[in-house]
Amino acid sequence: MPEALHELTAPALVDLYRRREVSPVEVARSVLGHVERWEYYIQALYLLRPDQVMEQARASEARWLKGQPLGLIDGVPVTIKDNIATRGDPMPLGTAATELVPASADAPPAARVREQGGVILAKTTMPDYGMLSSGLSSFHKLARNPWDMTKTPGGSSAGAAAAAAAGYGPLHIGTDIGGSVRLPAGWCGIFTLKPSLGRIPIDPPYIGRAAGPMTRSVADAAVLMDVLSRPDDRDSMSLPHQDIAWSRFDTGTDRLRGLRIGLLLEAGCGLAVEPEVRAAVERAAQAFERAGAVVAPMRPFMTQGMLDGMDWFWRMRSHVDMRSLPADVKARVLPYIQHWADSAAGLTGEAVFRAFHQFHLTRVAAVNACRPFDYVLSPVSPVPAFAAELPSPTNDPMRPLEHIGFTVPFNMSEQPAASINCGYTSTGLPIGLQIAGKRFDDLGVLQVARAWEMIREAQRPWPQPPSEAIHHVD
């Protein structure tokens, strides 16, 4: 049975467009129809405007008929996270406390998508200010996980992960400052790369903040890296542009032979790794060994003090931001986020300094721990996806980040780190494997992830809408 158009990869779609066997208009219709069947249940999208989607698709069709495509993804559907500005659209940042003012310009990732001809399907949902690893938001409807709609898709790139898993076209863009593309990717069974800091220009830049592709395959992520990594001088933290051969992401399973692989099974802080998660990652490591890699155990390098310090600094940052809001506006923020931020009100200057210093200590510890290895394997999260209605696995604003011990160090060390599925729980929830590389080795991480795609066990079919009944999207 041939794949539906909405399930095809970006390279496959571009090839069909080039051969004039399929039109971007047909693909847009297929994706919009699939969204209608799914969106009522998973609430992944914001600003879905079918008329604008079709207008973009018709313009792309005209370019292809003239043999003049704009770029690598002309006519390919793309979603963009709420907090990445798109010209003329409000950016609520997931919270009802934001004034809805149209953005004056595209942020760098959105600008690259338009320059390369991508069809922007919609924005995707996120929690308040991106400060939760769930889809709980005071502005957006509650996002849910397509694999089990009682579970969260994760966050803060909640809608992007749900949209990718549900098959809303091939390309989705999220952001990550402590795990916000990798955690939802792991819980939704998709692929993502949190690139080296500055590899993808972003605006506004911030310590540890990166944009990244969220896709069903490494191939699609490689295409999106080619698009998004082009230079933009608005990002004061961006890397000098490199002409990286992203198309060389597939070097086969021989890529694994002789690699020195570190296996990190304990984060050193936060929640304990659940047995099913640990077992899945251990099985992955064994498969890497059979493919010729040399796998060695790693000791935890994070500490609870490092995690707590970053948490308290982020609390103070949010406390300062929210303190500037009128009382009635601040009251619209999720109570969990309010409680979390307000807890920092009494911190002294010394306490804030000591908290901030943990970012640097985390960076140094991560780089030193990874130095003996080419790549590091670990769980993405110590736990599988949790209840959709919860803001975090602990549901405790005083212990909000206990699940990010494996992901956050690579934001601070600026190393590329991917999430890719490596198994399922007994109840059918995906389990994410994190593959981290040395700073700047983004292509290498993609190559190792692609090799893992080739040697891992057969994947379960992607989830389908609960019924064929069509529920019209609000």
Side-chain angles (χ1 to χ4, degrees):
M1 181 176 175
E3 286 184 282
L5 293 178
H6 63 263
E7 294 181 330
L8 295 179
T9 66
L13 289 175
V14 168
D15 186 53
L16 289 170
Y17 297 159
R18 183 176 294 111
R19 293 191 275 123
R20 298 190 182 183
E21 293 183 16
V22 167
S23 159
V25 172
E26 295 174 276
V27 172
R29 287 183 182 137
S30 176
V31 172
L32 287 170
H34 192 62
V35 168
E36 272 200 305
R37 289 185 287 273
W38 253 128
E39 184 62 7
Y40 172 84
Y41 301 101
I42 62 172
Q43 304 294 346
L45 302 184
Y46 169 57
L47 296 181
L48 174 65
R49 295 164 294 199
D51 289 349
Q52 291 190 21
V53 174
M54 295 309 300
E55 182 181 346
Q56 295 173 75
R58 285 190 289 269
S60 175
E61 179 185 62
R63 292 191 293 270
W64 280 107
L65 289 173
K66 294 176 183 175
Q68 298 175 344
L70 280 178
L72 294 174
I73 55 170
D74 203 331
V76 179
V78 185
T79 72
I80 300 174
K81 188 177 176 180
D82 163 350
N83 66 344
I84 298 173
T86 46
R87 184 181 63 250
D89 296 329
M91 191 168 62
L93 303 177
T95 179
T98 301
E99 184 180 358
L100 298 181
V101 177
S104 60
D106 287 327
R112 301 295 87 76
V113 167
R114 288 199 214 269
E115 290 165 3
Q116 295 289 314
V119 172
I120 298 176
L121 175 69
K123 305 297 287 289
T124 49
T125 58
M126 61 182 278
D128 288 53
Y129 301 114
M131 293 309 299
L132 297 177
S133 297
S134 80
L136 187 62
S137 165
S138 62
F139 180 84
H140 300 297
K141 293 180 180 178
L142 178 64
R144 295 180 179 273
N145 192 320
W147 291 91
D148 178 346
M149 284 170 289
T150 69
K151 304 298 184 185
T152 184
S156 63
S157 303
Y168 289 13
L171 304 179
H172 311 270
I173 306 171
T175 62
D176 187 315
I177 201 170
S180 285
V181 295
R182 286 159 292 159
L183 290 162
W187 290 328
C188 287
I190 64 167
F191 178 76
T192 193
L193 174 68
K194 185 226 49 93
S196 300
L197 186 75
R199 178 69 71 204
I200 294 175
I202 195 167
D203 184 30
Y206 196 79
I207 298 167
R209 184 173 188 241
M214 302 182 74
T215 62
R216 286 182 168 187
S217 68
V218 177
D220 277 329
V223 171
L224 205 42
M225 286 301 298
D226 200 341
V227 171
L228 299 178
S229 62
R230 295 167 192 233
D232 195 304
D233 60 12
R234 289 176 288 174
D235 185 348
S236 59
M237 300 171 75
S238 63
L239 297 173
H241 178 65
Q242 287 181 265
D243 188 16
I244 295 172
W246 298 106
S247 61
R248 293 189 60 250
F249 72 92
D250 189 347
T251 50
T253 58
D254 283 348
R255 181 69 172 81
L256 303 181
R257 192 166 301 280
L259 288 182
R260 299 166 300 165
I261 302 288
L263 178 60
L264 183 67
L265 291 172
E266 296 178 21
C269 58
L271 297 172
V273 177
E274 291 196 4
E276 286 186 305
V277 173
R278 184 185 181 102
V281 173
E282 287 179 325
R283 286 194 300 271
Q286 291 162 6
F288 272 76
E289 283 188 312
R290 290 194 296 272
V294 179
V295 179
M298 287 178 67
R299 293 179 179 175
F301 58 85
M302 284 283 287
T303 67
Q304 192 66 40
M306 292 175 184
L307 185 64
D308 290 346
M310 290 186 281
D311 177 15
W312 279 104
F313 179 81
W314 281 329
R315 290 176 199 236
M316 179 56 81
R317 184 189 68 170
S318 294
H319 173 66
V320 171
D321 287 344
M322 282 193 273
R323 194 171 57 187
S324 67
L325 299 175
D328 62 322
V329 175
K330 180 185 173 185
R332 301 174 198 161
V333 178
L334 279 176
Y336 182 98
I337 295 291
Q338 291 186 54
H339 185 176
W340 172 75
D342 287 348
S343 65
L347 287 186
T348 65
E350 180 180 342
V352 174
F353 166 77
R354 292 187 181 280
F356 183 72
H357 187 52
Q358 300 305 313
F359 288 86
H360 178 69
L361 295 181
T362 299
R363 176 192 183 99
V364 172
V367 171
N368 286 340
C370 295
R371 184 173 289 112
F373 305 105
D374 299 307
Y375 300 94
V376 170
L377 303 181
S378 76
V380 172
S381 165
V383 298
F386 51 94
E389 294 80 8
L390 296 182
S392 70
T394 61
N395 194 26
D396 181 355
M398 299 310 293
R399 295 175 59 240
L401 304 183
E402 300 293 291
H403 56 292
I404 71 169
F406 289 107
T407 52
V408 72
F410 299 115
N411 294 82
M412 301 314 140
S413 66
E414 306 184 11
Q415 294 170 246
S419 172
I420 188 166
N421 194 55
C422 69
Y424 305 87
T425 68
S426 58
T427 58
L429 294 173
I431 297 171
L433 172 71
Q434 182 170 245
I435 303 172
K438 294 185 183 297
R439 193 175 174 212
F440 312 132
D441 188 23
D442 304 74
L443 180 58
V445 171
L446 288 183
Q447 290 170 341
V448 171
R450 172 57 185 150
W452 168 244
E453 263 185 338
M454 298 170 76
I455 66 173
R456 68 182 176 182
E457 296 177 356
Q459 298 295 284
R460 299 184 184 182
W462 292 103
Q464 295 300 317
S467 74
E468 288 305 309
I470 293 179
H471 296 265
H472 291 281
V473 180
D474 294 339

